[in-house]
Amino acid sequence: MGLIPPVSKKNEYVVMIQADMVSYRKKYHSQPVKKTLTITKWLNDLGVQKKVNFSKLLQESLKKELNL
């Protein structure tokens, strides 16, 4: 990668930066989105009986699947 030439104004330069977009999205784009899904009744009944937080479980599973 070559050097970036200075901008035309005196004492001003173009500077490349690195940004963590995953962290940015977590901080600024984390409004909830309603999703509808279908699971079998017996699985739902067992989850309700065990007091599973379905929304939290889905979010955690998606993050794991997406390596986030």
Side-chain angles (χ1 to χ4, degrees):
M1 184 180 275
L3 295 175
I4 299 173
V7 178
S8 60
K9 294 181 181 178
K10 189 175 181 179
N11 296 325
E12 291 186 3
Y13 296 90
V14 174
V15 179
M16 299 215 23
I17 63 167
Q18 183 176 353
D20 183 349
M21 294 307 295
V22 172
S23 293
Y24 177 85
R25 282 191 297 270
K26 284 181 184 177
K27 185 172 183 178
Y28 296 104
H29 297 285
S30 53
Q31 74 268 11
V33 176
K34 185 156 179 79
K35 302 302 287 183
T36 301
L37 65 122
T38 303
I39 59 173
T40 57
K41 182 177 180 341
W42 70 267
L43 193 55
N44 181 67
D45 292 345
L46 187 57
V48 170
Q49 177 186 350
K50 298 286 186 175
K51 298 181 180 172
V52 172
N53 182 331
F54 290 97
S55 179
K56 181 179 177 185
L57 178 61
L58 178 58
Q59 289 182 58
E60 290 172 350
S61 298
L62 282 169
K63 288 176 185 177
K64 183 178 179 183
E65 179 68 24
L66 299 171
N67 297 315
L68 298 177

